[in-house]
PDB file of all heavy atoms in Angstrom:
ATOM      1  N   ALA A 288      65.161 147.204  55.978  1.00  0.00           N
ATOM      2  CA  ALA A 288      64.868 146.282  56.823  1.00  0.00           C
ATOM      3  C   ALA A 288      65.756 146.063  57.964  1.00  0.00           C
ATOM      4  O   ALA A 288      65.493 145.889  59.176  1.00  0.00           O
ATOM      5  CB  ALA A 288      64.591 144.778  56.079  1.00  0.00           C
ATOM      6  N   MET A 289      67.169 146.204  57.623  1.00  0.00           N
ATOM      7  CA  MET A 289      68.283 146.131  58.581  1.00  0.00           C
ATOM      8  C   MET A 289      68.162 147.251  59.549  1.00  0.00           C
ATOM      9  O   MET A 289      68.296 147.120  60.840  1.00  0.00           O
ATOM     10  CB  MET A 289      69.611 146.161  57.926  1.00  0.00           C
ATOM     11  CG  MET A 289      70.713 145.901  58.898  1.00  0.00           C
ATOM     12  SD  MET A 289      70.837 144.297  59.510  1.00  0.00           S
ATOM     13  CE  MET A 289      71.439 143.405  58.202  1.00  0.00           C
ATOM     14  N   VAL A 290      67.871 148.486  59.104  1.00  0.00           N
ATOM     15  CA  VAL A 290      67.646 149.657  59.981  1.00  0.00           C
ATOM     16  C   VAL A 290      66.593 149.359  61.117  1.00  0.00           C
ATOM     17  O   VAL A 290      66.810 149.848  62.213  1.00  0.00           O
ATOM     18  CB  VAL A 290      67.229 150.814  59.241  1.00  0.00           C
ATOM     19  CG1 VAL A 290      66.868 152.032  60.076  1.00  0.00           C
ATOM     20  CG2 VAL A 290      68.504 151.351  58.348  1.00  0.00           C
ATOM     21  N   GLU A 291      65.499 148.715  60.659  1.00  0.00           N
ATOM     22  CA  GLU A 291      64.404 148.326  61.641  1.00  0.00           C
ATOM     23  C   GLU A 291      65.013 147.569  62.812  1.00  0.00           C
ATOM     24  O   GLU A 291      64.672 147.726  63.899  1.00  0.00           O
ATOM     25  CB  GLU A 291      63.304 147.543  60.963  1.00  0.00           C
ATOM     26  CG  GLU A 291      62.429 148.460  60.149  1.00  0.00           C
ATOM     27  CD  GLU A 291      61.524 149.416  60.966  1.00  0.00           C
ATOM     28  OE1 GLU A 291      61.346 149.162  62.187  1.00  0.00           O
ATOM     29  OE2 GLU A 291      61.091 150.401  60.326  1.00  0.00           O
ATOM     30  N   LYS A 292      65.977 146.649  62.504  1.00  0.00           N
ATOM     31  CA  LYS A 292      66.487 145.739  63.513  1.00  0.00           C
ATOM     32  C   LYS A 292      67.437 146.606  64.553  1.00  0.00           C
ATOM     33  O   LYS A 292      67.301 146.520  65.794  1.00  0.00           O
ATOM     34  CB  LYS A 292      67.480 144.785  62.880  1.00  0.00           C
ATOM     35  CG  LYS A 292      66.761 143.579  62.172  1.00  0.00           C
ATOM     36  CD  LYS A 292      66.240 142.592  63.340  1.00  0.00           C
ATOM     37  CE  LYS A 292      65.809 141.352  62.726  1.00  0.00           C
ATOM     38  NZ  LYS A 292      65.090 140.487  63.779  1.00  0.00           N
ATOM     39  N   LEU A 293      68.035 147.651  64.002  1.00  0.00           N
ATOM     40  CA  LEU A 293      68.841 148.474  64.815  1.00  0.00           C
ATOM     41  C   LEU A 293      67.995 149.489  65.632  1.00  0.00           C
ATOM     42  O   LEU A 293      68.301 149.685  66.803  1.00  0.00           O
ATOM     43  CB  LEU A 293      69.819 149.313  63.889  1.00  0.00           C
ATOM     44  CG  LEU A 293      70.922 148.562  63.177  1.00  0.00           C
ATOM     45  CD1 LEU A 293      71.640 149.340  62.152  1.00  0.00           C
ATOM     46  CD2 LEU A 293      72.017 148.005  64.182  1.00  0.00           C
ATOM     47  N   ILE A 294      66.868 149.868  65.069  1.00  0.00           N
ATOM     48  CA  ILE A 294      65.909 150.628  65.842  1.00  0.00           C
ATOM     49  C   ILE A 294      65.448 149.753  67.075  1.00  0.00           C
ATOM     50  O   ILE A 294      65.258 150.207  68.199  1.00  0.00           O
ATOM     51  CB  ILE A 294      64.726 151.185  64.986  1.00  0.00           C
ATOM     52  CG1 ILE A 294      65.207 152.228  64.050  1.00  0.00           C
ATOM     53  CG2 ILE A 294      63.611 151.608  65.825  1.00  0.00           C
ATOM     54  CD1 ILE A 294      64.264 152.562  63.019  1.00  0.00           C
ATOM     55  N   ASN A 295      65.146 148.541  66.761  1.00  0.00           N
ATOM     56  CA  ASN A 295      64.617 147.720  67.963  1.00  0.00           C
ATOM     57  C   ASN A 295      65.734 147.625  68.983  1.00  0.00           C
ATOM     58  O   ASN A 295      65.361 147.519  70.147  1.00  0.00           O
ATOM     59  CB  ASN A 295      64.346 146.252  67.455  1.00  0.00           C
ATOM     60  CG  ASN A 295      62.933 146.280  66.594  1.00  0.00           C
ATOM     61  OD1 ASN A 295      62.113 147.124  66.792  1.00  0.00           O
ATOM     62  ND2 ASN A 295      62.870 145.310  65.810  1.00  0.00           N
ATOM     63  N   SER A 296      66.921 147.500  68.510  1.00  0.00           N
ATOM     64  CA  SER A 296      68.009 147.545  69.544  1.00  0.00           C
ATOM     65  C   SER A 296      68.147 148.695  70.374  1.00  0.00           C
ATOM     66  O   SER A 296      68.291 148.731  71.575  1.00  0.00           O
ATOM     67  CB  SER A 296      69.461 147.232  68.919  1.00  0.00           C
ATOM     68  OG  SER A 296      69.474 145.972  68.327  1.00  0.00           O
ATOM     69  N   VAL A 297      67.977 149.865  69.778  1.00  0.00           N
ATOM     70  CA  VAL A 297      67.892 151.188  70.501  1.00  0.00           C
ATOM     71  C   VAL A 297      66.672 151.174  71.482  1.00  0.00           C
ATOM     72  O   VAL A 297      66.884 151.508  72.725  1.00  0.00           O
ATOM     73  CB  VAL A 297      67.578 152.247  69.498  1.00  0.00           C
ATOM     74  CG1 VAL A 297      67.403 153.610  70.375  1.00  0.00           C
ATOM     75  CG2 VAL A 297      68.906 152.491  68.580  1.00  0.00           C
ATOM     76  N   ASP A 298      65.582 150.729  71.065  1.00  0.00           N
ATOM     77  CA  ASP A 298      64.461 150.527  71.981  1.00  0.00           C
ATOM     78  C   ASP A 298      64.835 149.689  73.192  1.00  0.00           C
ATOM     79  O   ASP A 298      64.401 149.899  74.410  1.00  0.00           O
ATOM     80  CB  ASP A 298      63.253 149.924  71.266  1.00  0.00           C
ATOM     81  CG  ASP A 298      62.507 150.898  70.256  1.00  0.00           C
ATOM     82  OD1 ASP A 298      62.899 152.163  70.409  1.00  0.00           O
ATOM     83  OD2 ASP A 298      61.786 150.441  69.456  1.00  0.00           O
ATOM     84  N   ALA A 299      65.511 148.478  72.886  1.00  0.00           N
ATOM     85  CA  ALA A 299      65.819 147.535  73.962  1.00  0.00           C
ATOM     86  C   ALA A 299      66.681 148.155  74.894  1.00  0.00           C
ATOM     87  O   ALA A 299      66.573 147.941  76.169  1.00  0.00           O
ATOM     88  CB  ALA A 299      66.417 146.273  73.364  1.00  0.00           C
ATOM     89  N   VAL A 300      67.666 149.014  74.545  1.00  0.00           N
ATOM     90  CA  VAL A 300      68.594 149.666  75.493  1.00  0.00           C
ATOM     91  C   VAL A 300      67.860 150.676  76.366  1.00  0.00           C
ATOM     92  O   VAL A 300      68.090 150.737  77.562  1.00  0.00           O
ATOM     93  CB  VAL A 300      69.752 150.314  74.631  1.00  0.00           C
ATOM     94  CG1 VAL A 300      70.581 151.272  75.621  1.00  0.00           C
ATOM     95  CG2 VAL A 300      70.578 149.207  73.973  1.00  0.00           C
ATOM     96  N   LEU A 301      67.009 151.412  75.825  1.00  0.00           N
ATOM     97  CA  LEU A 301      66.219 152.406  76.448  1.00  0.00           C
ATOM     98  C   LEU A 301      65.241 151.711  77.510  1.00  0.00           C
ATOM     99  O   LEU A 301      65.198 152.081  78.612  1.00  0.00           O
ATOM    100  CB  LEU A 301      65.255 153.232  75.601  1.00  0.00           C
ATOM    101  CG  LEU A 301      66.077 154.218  74.653  1.00  0.00           C
ATOM    102  CD1 LEU A 301      65.136 155.016  73.672  1.00  0.00           C
ATOM    103  CD2 LEU A 301      66.944 155.240  75.476  1.00  0.00           C
TER     104      LEU A 301
END
Side-chain angles (χ1 to χ4, degrees):
M289 185 67 78
V290 168
E291 286 289 340
K292 283 288 193 185
L293 292 166
I294 287 173
N295 286 340
S296 287
V297 173
D298 288 348
V300 169
L301 292 176

